[in-house]
């Protein structure tokens, strides 16, 4: 897939071999495909937090906001309120999403605004050199935790299910997997939560993770069955891997739910006219 027109002149400063390259390639490919099918570059907007993941903002030639640490979601929501026709895509790290930005995550699931959200989960605060996040495994040691992490990781997939998210997916940082789920998420009407298990080759290499993963789709998982999604989400607790660890990948849950932008007449009007607030004549 040709995606030159989405490139910027900025040379990436991600570490050589960083999985963020895979993520970015997938995102560019899917958007380039949409543009080939007739969408305009201006139809898309991207938002990032602060962290290694956030550098994607500099390397993808689309409009958007490189926002604050933990504030990707309210920025995406603001964009949708400003122009509900925009295709908004947010990028966070696990520190960004599950620590500083945690309360926004719960409300994003509740609001169900029609934007897509990727969490680059490398289980550490990578840009600030590897401190543990709320999804780091028990026992992980760094300079800030010389005795090792003592607290159990949270399970963001279960959190999203409980919060009422209408699209909950997990993929490995593999271009094809991300492309597939991103395309499905674009078809979905509402908030799409997509967690990417992304080894950080320097601070959290996640050795052996890929081998523990399996495809829910190949297993015939029914993504409209909440109880089944809940059960699958419990299979992986983000802790140290053992012989029994199984990591389900794919769309765990999807359901139809009222979309935020369809609940307010002012936003419905903008959608109908295919304009943003700026273009309204007063
Ligand atoms: C409000 C605020 N708090 C803390 C920071 C410091 N900070 C910058 S990057 C970063 C780590 C980001 O980690 P994560 O979101 O997991 O992204 P990654 O670097 O792993 O991609 C932190 C804590 C900040 N810039 N702003």
């Amino acid at each position: 897939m040709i995606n030159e027109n989405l490139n910027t002149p900025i040379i990436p400063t991600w570490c050589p071999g960083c999985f963020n390259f895979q993520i970015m390639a997938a995102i560019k490919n899917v958007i380039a495909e949409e543009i080939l099918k007739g969408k305009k570059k201006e139809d898309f907007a991207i938002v990032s937090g602060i962290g290694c993941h956030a550098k994607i903002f500099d390397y993808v030639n689309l409009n958007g906001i490189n926002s604050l640490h933990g504030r990707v979601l309210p920025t995406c929501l603001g964009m949708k309120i400003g122009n509900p026709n925009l295709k908004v895509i947010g990028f966070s790290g696990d520190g960004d999403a599950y620590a500083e930005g945690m309360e926004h995550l719960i409300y994003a699931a509740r609001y169900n605004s029609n934007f897509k959200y990727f969490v680059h989960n490398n289980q550490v605060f990578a840009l600030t050199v590897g401190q543990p996040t709320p999804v780091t495994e028990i026992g992980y040691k760094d300079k800030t935790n010389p005795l090792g992490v003592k607290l159990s990781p949270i399970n963001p997939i279960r959190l999203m299910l409980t919060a009422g998210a209408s699209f909950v997916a997990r993929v490995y940082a593999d271009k094809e997997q991300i492309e597939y789920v991103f395309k499905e998420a674009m078809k979905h009407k509402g908030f799409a939560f997509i967690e990417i298990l992304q080894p950080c080759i320097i601070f959290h290499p996640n050795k052996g993770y890929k081998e523990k993963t399996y495809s829910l789709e190949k297993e015939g998982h029914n993504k409209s069955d909440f109880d089944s999604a809940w059960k699958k989400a419990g299979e992986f607790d983000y802790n140290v891997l053992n012989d029994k660890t199984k990591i389900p990948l794919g769309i765990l849950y999807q359901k139809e739910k009222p979309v935020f932008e369809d609940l307010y007449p002012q936003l419905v009007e903008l959608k109908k006219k295919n304009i943003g607030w700026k273009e309204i004549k007063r």
Side-chain angles (χ1 to χ4, degrees):
M1 178 60 59
I2 300 161
N3 56 35
E4 278 96 340
N5 64 344
L6 291 176
N7 293 340
T8 71
I10 301 167
I11 295 167
T13 55
W14 287 321
C15 305
C18 176
F19 283 80
N20 274 316
F21 285 105
Q22 292 269 327
I23 300 172
M24 180 168 74
I27 302 299
K28 280 184 176 173
N29 278 352
V30 172
I31 295 178
E33 215 172 281
E34 290 282 314
I35 292 170
L36 281 180
K37 281 195 255 161
K39 292 266 175 320
K40 293 192 294 267
K41 249 162 80 170
E42 295 70 31
D43 294 335
F44 296 89
I46 55 173
V47 179
S48 73
I50 302 291
C52 293
H53 68 276
K55 296 179 182 198
I56 195 169
F57 184 85
D58 293 334
Y59 313 143
V60 179
N61 192 6
L62 289 171
N63 293 330
I65 298 178
N66 184 181
S67 78
L68 300 174
H69 188 54
R71 308 291 175 239
V72 172
L73 292 167
T75 311
C76 290
L77 182 62
M79 282 181 171
K80 290 298 289 183
I81 293 172
N83 184 350
N85 305 295
L86 271 181
K87 295 190 176 302
V88 176
I89 305 145
F91 302 95
S92 275
D94 48 304
D96 209 47
Y98 307 145
E100 188 102 15
M102 172 58 97
E103 76 279 23
H104 300 303
L105 188 58
I106 295 165
Y107 277 89
R110 181 170 175 242
Y111 289 163
N112 201 37
S113 174
N114 190 10
F115 64 85
K116 318 301 157 195
Y117 183 51
F118 290 94
V119 180
H120 305 213
N121 183 0
N122 51 22
Q123 294 185 275
V124 281
F125 290 100
L127 191 70
T128 46
V129 302
Q131 300 83 0
T133 70
V135 282
T136 309
E137 71 277 11
I138 292 175
Y140 173 87
K141 284 186 186 162
D142 81 319
K143 280 184 189 158
T144 63
N145 280 261
L147 302 179
V149 169
K150 303 284 182 197
L151 302 175
S152 301
I154 61 158
N155 183 328
I157 303 284
R158 280 198 160 168
L159 178 80
M160 285 294 87
L161 291 171
T162 313
S166 60
F167 186 103
V168 181
R170 183 201 278 135
V171 292
Y172 190 76
D174 166 271
K175 195 164 71 69
E176 276 73 34
Q177 283 185 35
I178 300 167
E179 284 176 1
Y180 169 72
V181 171
F182 187 21
K183 282 181 196 168
E184 291 302 305
M186 298 274 268
K187 285 186 241 159
H188 177 72
K189 290 192 176 66
F191 174 64
F193 169 86
I194 304 155
E195 177 175 78
I196 307 171
L197 292 180
Q198 177 215 359
C200 167
I201 54 172
I202 303 299
F203 298 110
H204 204 285
N206 286 11
K207 285 201 184 85
Y209 262 62
K210 198 168 186 187
E211 293 66 34
K212 300 283 183 188
T213 62
Y214 72 94
S215 158
L216 285 167
E217 203 187 7
K218 281 191 193 139
E219 217 201 34
H221 169 66
N222 177 3
K223 61 187 178 187
S224 63
D225 180 347
F226 184 90
D227 292 338
S228 171
W230 180 262
K231 212 168 142 206
K232 292 284 172 199
E235 283 182 359
F236 177 48
D237 67 1
Y238 296 78
N239 256 316
V240 182
L241 307 182
N242 59 42
D243 291 348
K244 293 200 185 109
T245 308
K246 280 179 19 184
I247 308 177
L249 297 181
I251 303 165
L252 284 104
Y253 188 61
Q254 186 174 8
K255 72 165 176 187
E256 269 189 43
K257 191 180 150 178
V259 173
F260 183 82
E261 294 82 47
D262 295 339
L263 299 176
Y264 298 90
Q266 304 91 325
L267 299 179
V268 172
E269 194 190 329
L270 293 183
K271 265 178 89 172
K272 244 191 253 158
K273 293 182 177 158
N274 198 19
I275 55 172
W277 283 107
K278 233 178 74 186
E279 291 144 288
I280 281 205
K281 298 209 170 42
R282 283 173 235 260

